[in-house]
Amino acid sequence: MLAALAGAPPAEAAAALWDGMVGTPYAIGSAVNTAAVLLLVAAGFLLAHRAGLVNVGGEGQICVGAVAATAVGTALPPSVPPALALPLVLLAAAAGGAGWAAIAAWLAVRRGVSEVITTLLLNFVGAAVLVLAVHEEALLRQPVTSSETLPQSAPLVEAAHLPLLGIPGSPATVAPVLALAAAGVVALVLHRTGTGIRLAAVGLSRPAAHRLGLGVDRLRFSALTGAGAAAGVAGGVLVASAPHVLDDGISSGYGFSGLVVGLLARGSCAAAVAVATALGFLVSGGINLQLAAGVPASLTQVAESLLILGIAGTAIWAVRAARPRRAHRPDPTSPRAEATP
């Protein structure tokens, strides 16, 4: 129906969407790379959410993480080995994202400012930092040799490039492996360690956690900065993937889409993997939808929104159906119940 409204035959649009998602090895590789970035942001969101925090700043943390990764990746000597270059780039990205989230974490812990507001506002500042970095030659912009020189960084050294998985015709890198490992670590921490129990206690009731002697401020600060580190790594993954340069459109809304994945996962890392994969393939299919059927790629965003509304509506219905309907049951201790024959 949406394709028909956009002026394309539904059958042709469906075929183009399917080909863009799974029609070629290139499409599948692009989809899993996108899913990896979304999963990294979602894993960080779940970590903060367990402590009762909502990290809305994935977009800004991606931008700052990408800037930090580029600063390291372009400064390394060409002779550096990949076993050293790539970890350094990703660690720099994690530090950038964590440092950016630490601003909101400090304000939440020390000043009681809502992290929803601060992380949201820091998105715009982080995007401005990225734009400034790629437009100023004194920062990260490549040397301007002509009027056609693009406002982007110089390429990262070859050793800092994410290696491909080796699938013929596919651009899939090791990013999905890194994202799955990150999601596995978060799941292990949240469900199998004492730290996860303490984070859950803080998220359920901060006053009760204080009475139990838990370091509430430390746990909340660590959870939000950890979420920023995961989003920062997502920025490092983006800049370390082809074409291995930093430009002002590198994020493309991944931070907000990763937030959606985290919300829909409802605390489950396994569900986050499934939702991130579904959205990754949907984004990949939307690109081919525009190329092959002439339908705007934004149509997939509409479909994504409808999917979110459907899942959210199902969740609300399930919660309401599970509630005991005590309003229609008489209280056996009430005088009216005793008087009822």
Side-chain angles (χ1 to χ4, degrees), residues 55 57-58 60-66 68 90-106 119 122 221-234:
N55 180 34
Q61 293 150 14
I62 286 175
C63 292
V64 177
L90 295 181
L91 284 174
W100 204 244
I103 300 173
W106 185 86
T119 53
L122 283 170
F221 186 89
S222 301
L224 192 52
T225 53
V233 172

Side-chain angles (χ1 to χ4, degrees), residues 15 136 165 226 234 299:
E136 289 293 331
L165 289 178
L299 187 67

Side-chain angles (χ1 to χ4, degrees), residues 4-334:
L5 292 175
E12 180 183 346
L17 181 65
W18 180 257
D19 288 341
M21 290 193 297
V22 296
T24 63
Y26 186 90
I28 296 174
S30 298
V32 296
N33 285 342
T34 300
V37 176
L38 299 181
L39 180 57
L40 284 168
V41 179
F45 175 87
L46 294 178
L47 180 63
H49 192 261
R50 180 56 63 95
L53 299 165
V54 180
N55 180 34
V56 193
E59 192 77 7
Q61 293 150 14
I62 286 175
C63 292
V64 177
V67 169
T70 305
V72 173
T74 54
L76 291 172
S79 60
V80 65
L84 179 61
L86 188 57
L88 283 176
V89 166
L90 295 181
L91 284 174
W100 204 244
I103 300 173
W106 185 86
L107 290 172
V109 169
R110 295 301 182 188
R111 294 290 181 261
V113 182
S114 171
E115 77 285 350
V116 176
I117 297 174
T118 51
T119 53
L120 178 61
L121 294 178
L122 283 170
N123 283 331
F124 302 101
V125 184
V129 169
L130 172 60
V131 172
L132 180 64
V134 298
H135 281 79
E136 289 293 331
E137 288 189 68
L139 297 175
L140 295 176
R141 180 170 181 168
Q142 61 181 335
V144 179
T145 57
S146 69
S147 60
E148 298 180 357
T149 302
L150 296 175
Q152 62 186 29
S153 73
L156 273 63
V157 295
E158 187 175 354
H161 296 179
L162 277 177
L164 298 175
L165 289 178
I167 302 174
S170 173
T173 65
V174 298
V177 179
L178 295 175
L180 288 173
V185 169
V186 170
L188 182 65
V189 169
L190 295 184
H191 302 291
R192 301 296 180 187
T193 66
T195 300
I197 296 174
R198 288 189 285 272
L199 288 172
V202 172
L204 291 171
S205 174
R206 272 188 280 167
H210 269 299
R211 287 194 291 270
L212 290 173
L214 300 180
V216 174
D217 291 347
R218 176 179 53 82
L219 288 167
R220 297 178 75 225
F221 186 89
S222 301
L224 192 52
T225 53
V233 172
V237 165
L238 287 172
V239 79
S241 303
H244 312 109
V245 297
L246 179 70
D247 59 61
D248 54 10
I250 194 168
S251 179
S252 302
Y254 286 130
F256 295 113
S257 296
L259 167 65
V260 169
V261 173
L263 288 171
L264 294 181
R266 301 183 66 191
S268 170
C269 288
V273 174
V275 177
T277 302
L279 293 187
F281 277 92
L282 187 61
V283 170
S284 179
I287 297 173
N288 191 64
L289 190 65
Q290 183 174 13
L291 296 175
V295 177
S298 57
L299 187 67
T300 58
Q301 297 177 354
V302 178
E304 177 183 332
S305 302
L306 293 175
L307 175 65
I308 293 167
L309 289 174
I311 295 175
T314 303
I316 294 173
W317 177 83
V319 170
R320 289 182 176 178
R323 290 177 180 172
R325 299 184 177 181
R326 296 181 181 180
H328 303 286
R329 299 178 184 176
D331 185 355
T333 61
S334 67

